[in-house]
Amino acid sequence: MEALRIYTEKPYRLKGEVTISGAKNAVLPAIAACLLTKEKVHLSNVPMVKDVETMLTLLGELGAEYQLKKKSLEIEVKNIASAQAPYKLVRAMRASILVLGPLVARKGKAIVALPGGCAIGTRPVDLHISGLQKLGANITIEHGYIVAEAKKLKGAEIEFDKKTVTGTENLVMAACLAKGETILKNCALEPEVFSLCELLVKMGARIDGIGEETIRIKGVDELCGAHHRIIPDRIEAGTFMVASALTHGDLILKEVEPTHLETIIDKLTISGARVEKLSRNSLRVIGSEEIKPQDVTTAPYPGFPTDMQAQFMVLMTQANGTSIITETIFDRRFAHANELIRLGASIEVQGDKAIVRGKTPLSGAEVVATDLRASASLVLAGLIATGQTTINDIEHLDRGYEKIEEKLRALGVRIERLKNNNNQSGVKK
Ligand code: EPZ
């Protein structure tokens, strides 16, 4: 297992510029959407992260031909060779569930392993399944697999019991090739859903209400190829914004979409950081000497993103006072708290709340990453924990952050990747 080691004799003040990559959570549904057409789709600004590799491996098994180089992806699914998404890939990446809707719509059949839970929660997919059943799919669960069949999906009215990002994405994609009109209510409003709908419209889908809670889709017989640019990763951007606030830094973020960052900007401003919009796609974040505590509750977009909760918790460990962080989306998303406590933080988890008492000095230690965003929070903590911090099981981080150690090194951080975890440090002490 690989690790990242950060050497912090004295806390860093991040200074300089960082370019944000394309969004993992936008490119994964976009790749799944390619199943809906036999023509070529071109995606640009693709982040070179592990989850993209996994998704492309899955698409390859389903019959896709693709070429990915220098962030440009060309993908063509002339025909569906197999309708089965195997457990080994679904277990590696829950987002594999995104092939369910497109496969049923295009092929009339899908056999997708149940994703099961993960480090942040139980992660059910009941809303994906019930939605497809309402579109006429016959679905059974056999030996841990979702087996879905439908000669031809038929439009229907579906209201989600709760906002689900990939649930909305799955149903929008399925409805594009259904017969008649589908009305989806209580849809997720995340920018990644919006961007997927834009791609589908470019492919010839007929979608109204993009970006709204009610989306109407008029089914068409087939979709065509398209060109589409993946939107910036608002969570990577938020992670670097917190890094600047945490280290009293002065950081310019390029290739961001400020309108996707409004709640993150609000919370950082309340904590004392200064955020300036430099242009349509760049921001400057200047950290303040004193970090103010504040309560944060995660919520579906446009609320404060659950994917930023772990990173914000690190910032609150350095605030002068107590902050209460409430996690409303997932039932087990505080695993990072125990690791932060090992670095010296004072955090008490009570159900869906984490009470963070600051300001606590952090000191470097060996820690272990449990999931993607928890890993990011440990990297942030390593920037201010005196001494060296070794973050183990860094494969989680590689799933969603492109070249993070290179980006941090360019900002002055002494960071290195350790293969197999023993200390092959090339860094002179
Ligand atoms: C997406 O996951 C993201 N992943 C997650 O990002 C993100 O944390 C999450 O949305 C919330 O914003 C991708 O887009 C690939 P949900 P998703 O369905 O779609 C419940 C990251 O770190 N629910 O919006 O799986 C569910 O349990 C990852 O990049 C059901 O009950 O999340 C949760 O409580 C982590 N039944 C809530 O809805 C269902 O059928 C929101 O989940 C589906 C979801």
Side-chain angles (χ1 to χ4, degrees), residues 24-26 28-29 51 93-98 118 120-130 160-169 188 190 192-193 233-235 299-301 305-308 311 327-331 333 371-374 399-401:
K24 163 183 87 80
N25 290 348
L28 297 178
D51 273 9
M93 182 187 65
R94 293 190 72 271
S96 307
I97 192 75
L98 283 165
C118 69
I120 64 175
T122 43
R123 312 298 293 275
V125 289
D126 56 307
L127 300 177
H128 299 241
I129 291 170
S130 57
F160 292 106
D161 297 346
K162 56 177 17 176
K163 289 207 179 332
T164 162
V165 173
T166 50
T168 303
E169 292 166 345
E190 272 70 3
E192 295 76 25
V193 177
D233 192 318
R234 59 194 169 94
I235 305 302
Y301 195 90
T306 174
D307 291 349
M308 280 298 301
Q311 299 90 313
E327 172 56 62
T328 68
I329 308 291
F330 292 113
D331 49 353
R333 200 171 199 173
D371 63 270
L372 168 56
R373 308 303 171 182
R399 292 186 49 184
Y401 285 89

Side-chain angles (χ1 to χ4, degrees), residues 35 52 61 81 144 195 212 244 283 317 349 373 379 389 406 409:
L35 290 165
V52 167
E61 296 211 1
S195 184
E212 293 166 22
S244 187
L283 284 179
T317 69
V349 173
R373 308 303 171 182
V379 171
T389 300
E406 287 176 30
R409 207 172 284 133

